[in-house]
Amino acid sequence: MKRLENRIALVTGASRGIGFAIAQAFAAEGATVLMNARDPEVLEQRAAELRQQYDAAVECLPYNVSQADAVKTAFAGIFQRHRRLDVLVNNAGILREGLLGMIPRDLIEDTVQTNIVGPLLHLQEAARLMGRKQSGSIINMSSIMGRYGSKGLTVYAASKAAIIGMTVAAAKELAPKSIRVNAVAPGFIATDMSRNIPEAVFEERVRSIGMGRVGEPSEVAQSVVFLASDESRYVTGQVLGVDGSMTI
Ligand SMILES: NC(=O)c1ccc[n+]([C@@H]2O[C@H](COP(=O)([O-])OP(=O)(O)OC[C@H]3O[C@@H](n4cnc5c(N)ncnc54)[C@H](OP(=O)(O)O)[C@@H]3O)[C@@H](O)[C@H]2O)c1
């Protein structure tokens, strides 16, 4: 028996990187995967790969996670087609660096909208839909930056700390409905986001990892599968680090 058989799972930011790896792992575990990202063409290409590779049921939901109307429409569609949602992964996120004195206003606005407002809107809608069945698992993508920070990442770190706050608060509120809310805090994972930094900084970060290497998106995805599945049915309000020892 696959671990996510008969589950309907929405993954935001699923067109590449960690989100795509999660969609892939969910498809392999038998879930119906609802993939979100902004670019409809890229999303459709990635969905086609999963359908072919796993013979999986995959749907594309292209929208910007921070636009309230789009989120509402997406959830109305999910209810119409499936009548329920079993798993939500709030994965979509952006990282823009800037030293404190030089942070433009739009960097703050964009980061807050994508990394905080988007996940909150999804959390609200998912809580309503999962509440009908009195079950569900929500996984929010934080980061080690949310606890430990780094020079030039004040805004990003603040957004990832907010993810931890919303996770524990929502976990308390939703526990009586058997809806679990957990967070994953990856360290340094090989995706476009982490590659997009100066080589010297990249090397320095790798040196700070006890395991001596960057993590693979699939390694984060396996932790998300655990939190999405019944294997973690008594686990809620937790932040699971996936960082190769960066934080110990
Ligand atoms: N990579 C790391 O080392 C690392 C470490 C810790 C935490 N994380 C977190 O893990 C998550 C995924 O990171 P990643 O490295 O996989 O990033 P990535 O490779 O840059 O992928 C980001 C994904 O999010 C989508 N996205 C971005 N803004 C969006 C929006 N407003 N609405 C909908 N989709 C949006 C992107 O697609 P479109 O651009 O087409 O919309 C893409 O699918 C993020 O929350 C990140 O903060 C990453």
Side-chain angles (χ1 to χ4, degrees):
M1 176 80 174
K2 292 177 175 172
R3 286 183 289 175
L4 298 176
E5 203 96 65
N6 301 320
R7 305 286 163 92
I8 310 291
L10 169 61
V11 184
T12 68
S15 62
R16 58 176 191 270
I18 294 171
F20 180 69
I22 294 167
Q24 196 168 26
F26 280 9
E29 291 291 348
T32 293
V33 189
L34 316 181
M35 293 173 73
N36 154 268
R38 287 167 299 182
D39 186 325
E41 277 175 34
V42 176
L43 199 56
E44 189 45 59
Q45 277 167 21
R46 303 317 303 268
E49 285 173 40
L50 296 188
R51 289 185 197 110
Q52 196 180 20
Q53 202 177 350
Y54 299 102
D55 196 23
V58 183
E59 294 174 17
C60 294
L61 300 176
Y63 61 87
N64 184 329
V65 289
S66 66
Q67 286 175 357
D69 289 351
V71 178
K72 261 200 179 321
T73 304
F75 272 81
I78 294 170
F79 179 64
Q80 235 172 20
R81 290 190 302 282
H82 303 286
R83 299 276 147 197
R84 67 178 212 275
L85 182 69
D86 302 299
V87 179
L88 163 68
V89 186
N90 262 324
N91 166 77
I94 55 169
L95 180 154
R96 283 176 59 193
E97 299 202 33
L99 292 173
L100 267 178
M102 299 188 290
I103 296 174
R105 178 77 192 201
D106 72 310
L107 184 155
I108 300 175
E109 304 270 335
D110 289 353
T111 305
V112 167
Q113 285 298 321
T114 307
N115 294 9
I116 304 177
V117 175
L120 281 172
L121 294 171
H122 284 74
L123 191 51
Q124 267 191 305
E125 292 291 339
R128 285 190 194 114
L129 197 43
M130 290 173 176
R132 300 173 74 97
K133 263 193 71 202
Q134 302 269 302
S135 77
S137 174
I138 297 170
I139 298 116
N140 298 321
M141 202 53 71
S142 181
S143 163
I144 56 166
M145 293 302 155
R147 279 188 163 160
Y148 300 95
S150 187
K151 194 174 77 178
L153 287 179
T154 301
V155 180
Y156 179 75
S159 74
K160 292 301 175 181
I163 288 282
I164 296 174
M166 74 178 78
T167 298
V168 291
K172 284 185 179 167
E173 192 172 318
L174 298 176
K177 294 181 177 168
S178 298
I179 299 169
R180 300 182 297 109
V181 189
N182 290 289
V184 172
F188 198 38
I189 310 300
T191 68
D192 291 352
M193 185 182 275
S194 55
R195 274 188 284 267
N196 207 9
I197 59 172
E199 205 178 317
V201 180
F202 185 93
E203 297 302 333
E204 189 190 314
R205 294 235 169 106
V206 172
R207 275 197 298 276
S208 73
I209 305 172
M211 289 190 174
R213 64 172 179 85
V214 291
E216 292 302 323
S218 61
E219 293 172 316
V220 179
Q222 288 309 318
S223 300
V224 175
V225 168
F226 166 70
L227 291 171
S229 76
D230 286 344
E231 287 175 359
S232 60
R233 62 185 168 273
Y234 204 52
V235 179
T236 193
Q238 302 303 305
V239 182
L240 177 55
V242 185
D243 63 17
S245 93
M246 263 179 117
T247 56
I248 54 168

